[in-house]
């Protein structure tokens, strides 16, 4: 038996919430909640539309009232994840200086990956065949960096710095999710802090 039947992963809605959403008349929300749980447990490629329907407590045909297929359901899950992700990045940068903001945004990235595995895997572990990869989250990061940089900083330089912070945070988050680099390694947050400091010294 999969563990989400009795103890959902951290950050995921409880199992009962999927069916409760349906019984309250919101089938779409119940299906998204089910997809989030299943993606957390198995990854975005590890479940079928029928399994999402079963977890939501509906017939196998019911999901097609809102989603034409599993890709459409995952696209909605990824969209919501990116919206939440972008909000957290913006909030992390608010009221901080350049170094502090970049570090805080990087930490927000790591925290999101750790606390929201269902969203994170739908966002980055699945190739959406029908939508641009541009999520708006990188735009939020770039805009925040541009606002924090000194007057006269070329736009390209701010964007490059944002991309470098994004790449470092994403790499650290991905390693942490598979238990790497293992015991004895410094926490991802410490590695990120050091990397941001080094980037700013050469920027």
């Amino acid at each position: 038996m999969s563990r989400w039947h009795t103890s959902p992963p951290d950050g995921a809605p409880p199992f009962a919430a999927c069916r409760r959403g349906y019984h309250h008349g919101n089938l779409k929300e119940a299906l998204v909640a089910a997809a989030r749980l299943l993606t957390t447990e198995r990854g975005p490629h590890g479940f079928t539309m029928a399994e999402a329907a079963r977890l939501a407590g509906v017939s196998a045909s019911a999901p097609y009232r809102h989603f034409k297929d599993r890709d459409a359901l995952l696209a909605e899950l990824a969209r919501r994840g990116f919206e939440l992700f972008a909000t957290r990045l913006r909030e992390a940068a608010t009221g901080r200086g350049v170094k502090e903001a970049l570090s805080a945004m990087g930490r927000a990235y790591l925290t999101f990956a750790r606390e929201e595995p269902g969203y994170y895997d739908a966002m980055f572990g699945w190739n959406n065949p029908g939508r641009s990869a541009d999520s708006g989250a990188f735009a939020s990061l770039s805009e925040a960096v541009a606002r924090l940089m000194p007057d006269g900083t070329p736009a390209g330089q701010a964007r490059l710095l944002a991309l470098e912070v994004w790449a470092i945070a994403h790499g650290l988050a991905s390693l942490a999710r598979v238990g790497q680099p293992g015991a004895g390694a410094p926490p991802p947050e410490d590695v990120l802090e050091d990397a941001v400091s080094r980037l700013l010294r050469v920027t």
Side-chain angles (χ1 to χ4, degrees):
M1 178 178 291
S2 298
R3 65 181 179 270
W4 46 256
H5 280 289
T6 55
S7 180
D10 291 344
F15 169 72
C18 300
R19 296 191 178 196
R20 184 166 63 247
Y22 173 65
H23 290 308
H24 285 179
N26 198 335
L27 173 59
K28 182 176 181 179
E29 293 302 315
L31 291 167
V32 171
R36 185 178 167 202
L37 280 171
L38 289 164
T39 300
T40 297
E41 175 67 16
R42 306 180 190 176
H45 301 288
F47 68 94
T48 65
M49 197 71 149
E51 288 174 311
R54 184 160 57 249
L55 181 57
V58 299
S59 69
S61 62
Y64 298 98
R65 301 173 195 171
H66 294 284
F67 303 104
K68 68 177 184 178
D69 53 25
R70 191 191 63 168
D71 280 340
L73 176 57
L74 284 168
E76 176 63 13
L77 185 64
R79 183 191 68 77
R80 295 184 186 202
F82 274 125
E83 285 186 354
L84 178 60
F85 185 48
T87 296
R88 290 194 183 181
L89 292 181
R90 285 194 298 269
E91 290 175 348
T94 301
R96 301 176 186 269
V98 178
K99 181 177 184 298
E100 293 76 14
L102 289 176
S103 295
M105 293 173 87
R107 290 193 299 272
Y109 198 119
L110 296 175
T111 298
F112 185 90
R114 183 167 53 245
E115 294 182 351
E116 302 291 354
Y119 284 139
Y120 190 84
D121 283 352
M123 292 157 58
F124 296 113
W126 163 71
N127 182 26
N128 186 336
R131 184 174 61 86
S132 168
D134 183 14
S135 65
F138 179 64
S140 296
L141 178 59
S142 297
E143 291 165 4
V145 171
R147 289 194 300 271
L148 296 164
M149 297 298 282
D151 292 342
T153 300
Q157 185 176 345
R159 183 176 176 83
L160 178 61
L161 180 58
L163 180 58
E164 289 166 340
V165 172
W166 175 292
I168 292 167
H170 187 74
L172 289 169
S174 298
L175 287 170
R177 285 179 56 72
V178 295
Q180 296 296 332
E189 287 79 5
D190 291 354
V191 178
L192 177 71
E193 189 78 22
D194 182 73
V196 169
S197 295
R198 293 173 185 272
L199 280 175
L200 290 176
R201 283 200 294 270
V202 299
T203 299

